[in-house]
Amino acid sequence: MAHQLFGDSETIFGYKGLNVQMYYSAANLNTYINVTYSEKIDPSNFDGVHADNIVKKISEFVPARFTTSQDQFLSTLSAEKIFQPFGELKHVYTTNKGDRKRKFEIYKADVDCPGFRDYHSHLQTFILWYIDAASYIDVDDHRWNFYLVFEKYSKGGSPMYAIAGYMTVYNYYAYPEKIRPRISQVLILPPFQRLGLCAQLLQAFYNVVAGDRSVKDITVEDPSESFQRVRDYVDIKNCMSLKSFSSENLKQGFSKSLINEVQDRLKINKRQARRVYEILWYYHTRKNNKDDMKAYRLEVKTRLNQPFMKNRRDFEKLKKSLKPDELAASLSNMNLEQRHEYLQLRYEDCVNDYERIIDRMTSS
């Protein structure tokens, strides 16, 4: 993701054998930038053109509290022993993967936590390296909440912490007197991935908002495919405890009572509720029963066909206001046969995606 600092070509001019390294202390996130190279251009040989100032370029995105001195960086590490996480402890999670028991703690913080503004200014620099098209957020807006994941471990008999990931949530207004939290950024750092931390982070957030009567429902800002799968997994696990999502009730259709229950109990919005509804119906469907599979296929394709039905209604309106040539230009070029082919492909994509989620659910 270096293109977010050095341009699409990720080119740094003027060096040979260049190596740029950034180190973060595990808890306090003190930062050390180390630049080494075997050769640097002489401006007198290049019409006065200087090599790129790498540290200056990085400093435009990294807060001032960094150093280019290894000794100074090492001197800060003693403070790691006394670090305490910001905010309020919301969830504790342990994993035994790889015959190693590890403990993680999830905290909820906001900008009013003493020292958190400065800490977040270092924390958010990780998104430059791991999230494409990432942008910093305005922490002066008090509608932001932050959920932080720390690994808690012992060294020399003393508890210590290492940041493992975080999530940002913005509380939008929802008419008439509620809020609609939107998950904005979610990042689990590479050394801590595949430990189930994203699902635990999401569940910790759900636990906070589930009992909050001021919350209407939850949305997600432009979710990646990998995050959507985690979201589906967590939502399915939660919805399976609801009466509306029993195998008998699912076949009654995507009802208003189902939408109301999942929104009231779990704060899941209507669009995501529909997705969970389809996944769990597929989970309960007998795959070797042609009638069951046909009923399920028709249900999903009916939903996929809705944009075309909307176009049909729009067509009647357009006929009254457009000239024939303008009307022809505004219509889709997709004929009936192409539409059927499209719906079948989209249906197969959905089923393949749903099967991956169900495999994780049944294997966990």
Side-chain angles (χ1 to χ4, degrees):
M1 300 295 178
H3 66 274
Q4 298 186 101
L5 273 73
F6 299 106
D8 292 340
S9 62
E10 298 188 350
T11 300
I12 301 175
F13 172 75
Y15 301 88
K16 183 181 291 185
L18 178 64
N19 189 16
V20 181
Q21 298 170 311
M22 286 186 65
Y23 297 85
Y24 293 81
S25 60
N28 286 299
L29 299 182
N30 292 311
T31 310
Y32 165 47
I33 302 175
N34 182 41
V35 179
T36 60
Y37 48 86
S38 60
E39 189 177 341
K40 183 178 180 180
I41 65 167
D42 183 347
S44 63
N45 296 328
F46 287 84
D47 297 326
V49 178
H50 291 261
D52 290 341
N53 189 330
I54 300 169
V55 173
K56 181 180 178 181
K57 184 64 177 178
I58 295 176
S59 69
E60 295 174 6
F61 299 90
V62 176
R65 186 166 55 85
F66 71 87
T67 181
T68 56
S69 166
Q70 185 181 63
D71 290 338
Q72 185 176 346
F73 175 71
L74 293 175
S75 70
T76 67
L77 299 183
S78 59
E80 297 286 288
K81 298 177 182 178
I82 60 173
F83 175 86
Q84 291 295 315
F86 296 91
E88 181 182 358
L89 178 64
K90 292 297 183 182
H91 182 58
V92 177
Y93 168 64
T94 58
T95 178
N96 293 290
K97 289 188 178 181
D99 297 325
R100 178 187 171 195
K101 187 175 183 179
R102 302 174 70 176
K103 181 178 182 179
F104 295 89
E105 296 180 349
I106 298 177
Y107 291 78
K108 178 188 177 185
D110 57 41
V111 294
D112 291 327
C113 294
F116 183 70
R117 285 173 183 263
D118 179 65
Y119 187 79
H120 177 261
S121 69
H122 288 263
L123 179 63
Q124 70 177 347
T125 61
F126 284 121
I127 67 175
L128 295 175
W129 315 115
Y130 299 117
I131 300 179
D132 197 17
S135 59
Y136 289 169
I137 65 174
D138 178 13
V139 293
D140 290 328
D141 191 331
H142 283 70
R143 286 176 287 186
W144 283 107
N145 290 137
F146 305 84
Y147 291 80
L148 314 175
V149 188
F150 291 93
E151 180 173 19
K152 186 176 184 179
Y153 62 100
S154 179
K155 186 174 182 180
S158 300
M160 297 185 68
Y161 292 90
I163 187 70
Y166 78 109
M167 177 172 73
T168 60
V169 178
Y170 191 81
N171 295 307
Y172 281 91
Y173 166 74
Y175 181 85
E177 52 185 13
K178 290 184 179 290
I179 59 173
R180 175 173 278 132
R182 174 179 291 181
I183 298 172
S184 177
Q185 301 164 329
V186 183
L187 175 64
I188 302 298
L189 295 174
F192 303 96
Q193 292 176 4
R194 300 189 179 278
L195 295 174
L197 291 183
C198 187
Q200 294 293 324
L201 180 60
L202 191 56
Q203 186 62 61
F205 164 62
Y206 282 174
N207 293 344
V208 170
V209 300
D212 189 343
R213 304 304 301 175
S214 68
V215 173
K216 182 176 179 63
D217 54 29
I218 299 163
T219 61
V220 180
E221 180 181 335
D222 193 20
S224 65
E225 288 185 10
S226 58
F227 179 77
Q228 183 60 49
R229 284 194 287 270
V230 175
R231 181 190 185 191
D232 291 338
Y233 167 75
V234 174
D235 287 346
I236 288 168
K237 298 276 281 190
N238 290 331
C239 286
M240 289 182 78
S241 65
L242 301 182
K243 183 178 179 181
S244 296
F245 285 85
S246 65
S247 58
E248 297 80 12
N249 288 332
L250 285 170
K251 295 177 182 179
Q252 303 304 313
F254 189 57
S255 64
K256 184 67 174 178
S257 61
L258 181 151
I259 297 169
N260 290 339
E261 182 181 21
V262 75
Q263 189 175 57
D264 183 61
R265 296 277 299 278
L266 301 177
K267 309 302 181 184
I268 296 176
N269 65 57
K270 181 179 178 180
R271 182 175 181 179
Q272 177 66 5
R274 172 72 196 202
R275 184 172 170 87
V276 174
Y277 158 79
E278 290 183 5
I279 296 172
L280 282 178
W281 186 355
Y282 185 73
Y283 171 70
H284 290 295
T285 297
R286 295 173 296 175
K287 310 303 185 293
N288 59 350
N289 186 295
K290 291 184 178 180
D291 291 336
D292 285 0
M293 285 302 298
K294 180 180 180 180
Y296 178 76
R297 184 173 63 253
L298 290 175
E299 177 71 9
V300 175
K301 285 188 175 182
T302 297
R303 191 256 307 169
L304 295 173
N305 192 49
Q306 285 177 356
F308 295 105
M309 298 304 293
K310 180 179 184 298
N311 288 343
R312 184 181 298 174
R313 293 192 298 269
D314 291 342
F315 173 74
E316 297 300 326
K317 298 177 183 178
L318 289 171
K319 277 201 306 185
K320 299 176 181 178
S321 58
L322 296 180
K323 297 177 181 178
D325 56 336
E326 294 174 330
L327 180 62
S330 68
L331 297 178
S332 170
N333 293 323
M334 190 177 293
N335 59 37
L336 186 60
E337 182 180 351
Q338 290 172 325
R339 185 195 305 182
H340 288 165
E341 182 180 354
Y342 167 81
L343 291 175
Q344 180 61 27
L345 290 173
R346 288 288 294 115
Y347 168 75
E348 292 172 0
D349 287 342
C350 287
V351 168
N352 290 335
D353 200 22
Y354 295 169
E355 285 178 342
R356 284 195 295 267
I357 298 160
I358 290 171
D359 285 344
R360 177 179 180 181
M361 181 182 69
T362 55
S363 63
S364 62

